[in-house]
Amino acid sequence: MATTLAARLSPHALGRRLPAAALAWVTAYGALRAYWASGHRPHDMSPIGTDLVVFTGWAGAGLCGAAALALAALVLPRADRLARIPRLALAGAAWTAAACLVGSGAMLLLDVVGAVLPGLGLGFYPLGALSRAAAVTAGVLTALSARAHTARTRTGPACAACARPAAAAGALPRTPAWAYVAAYLAVAGCLTRIAAQAVVGFAESPLSGGASAVLFEAGFVLGGCLLPLALVHPFGRTWPRRVPGLSGRGVPRRLVLWPGAAISGGLVVYFGLMLLQMAWERLHGRNPFPPEGGLDLPEAFFWVAVPAYFAWGAGMAAAARAYARRTRTPCPSCGR
């Protein structure tokens, strides 16, 4: 079953169906953004008013237009026969548009936390959350389309059984050293973030208390310490002996991989963009986080906490990539 699913989702099997679907999605979302930009945008779609960041107003509609143009080119049969330089330029345009779309919906991370744990005090804006989810989906579809195009044009013939290209990386026989480094980098990032909060005081937090705060803190520690280690250590693949009823059985792949990929992606996008914004504000002589809303934290706190979050996400993303290859079922035909 796993091999069949991989065959259906491989770049070669997807062909031009994925770019066509992505084009339809981006075009529809772009039309909505153009309608909003023409003076019909709803109010209060996020704590800052707008639903997206960086690409707001007509810039958001223009970004969707740029992504649609790149996807329309990828749909054409001639796209696979382009010379090397035009092919790289087309793929680069698609990847750039994808990154901008995902980055513009960076506040989706707050939407997810606010929706799952409403008692934290984070404002939840349903329409804005849907718009950000649509932008991130558009970016992911565009990125997958660019990846499929690159795989079709730069790799050898695909396996008839699993549809994986000849140049595809095979399953890892063991967890590599770099994956351990990445996992422990993620743990270090989480612990650094906790240490930074301890220095300024745990009472200095914009989050509300109650059961939601307890659940958030428990998830924070599990997601920052246990999950990265599960991605590289055996207990993330086989239930330990101390687990009643499950001892020795295999851990469902999606139980570890999906949260690892989702959390790491959200952290990298949100705090990566925040780190860039902080650098921009500081280079222009401004405090990136001036006191507001009764929260007055030293600027040094953010220069420790935000890079720590980013390191956490980047490390876990690399560890999740290794886990995906380590637990992948090799194709019986080609061994990839």
Side-chain angles (χ1 to χ4, degrees), residues 6 31 70 100 115 132-133 140 184 189 201 205 207 243 253 265 288 306 312:
C100 292
R132 287 183 281 276
V140 171
Y184 280 93
S205 173
L207 304 180
V243 180
R253 188 172 186 251
V306 174
W312 173 1

Side-chain angles (χ1 to χ4, degrees), residues 111-140:
D111 295 325
V112 173
V113 176
V116 174
L117 298 171
L120 282 180
L122 296 175
F124 181 68
Y125 305 81
L127 184 58
L130 288 174
S131 176
R132 287 183 281 276
V136 172
T137 300
V140 171

Side-chain angles (χ1 to χ4, degrees), residues 42 86 108 119 135 153 250 264 299:
L108 183 62
T153 56
S264 62
E299 184 180 349

Side-chain angles (χ1 to χ4, degrees), residues 99-114:
C100 292
L101 282 166
V102 172
S104 66
M107 287 189 295
L108 183 62
L109 178 64
L110 298 181
D111 295 325
V112 173
V113 176

Side-chain angles (χ1 to χ4, degrees), residues 93-226:
W95 278 109
T96 300
C100 292
L101 282 166
V102 172
S104 66
M107 287 189 295
L108 183 62
L109 178 64
L110 298 181
D111 295 325
V112 173
V113 176
V116 174
L117 298 171
L120 282 180
L122 296 175
F124 181 68
Y125 305 81
L127 184 58
L130 288 174
S131 176
R132 287 183 281 276
V136 172
T137 300
V140 171
L141 291 175
T142 303
L144 291 175
S145 300
R147 176 177 175 269
H149 170 73
T150 301
R152 290 196 309 271
T153 56
R154 295 185 59 185
T155 60
C159 171
C162 70
R164 291 169 184 159
L172 293 172
R174 63 183 63 86
T175 302
W178 58 263
Y180 284 99
V181 173
Y184 280 93
L185 173 65
V187 174
C190 175
L191 295 179
T192 300
R193 170 63 182 87
I194 295 174
Q197 190 67 53
V199 170
V200 299
F202 289 100
E204 296 294 331
S205 173
L207 304 180
S208 301
S212 293
V214 174
L215 291 174
F216 175 78
E217 291 167 0
F220 189 95
V221 175
L222 291 175
C225 296
L226 182 63

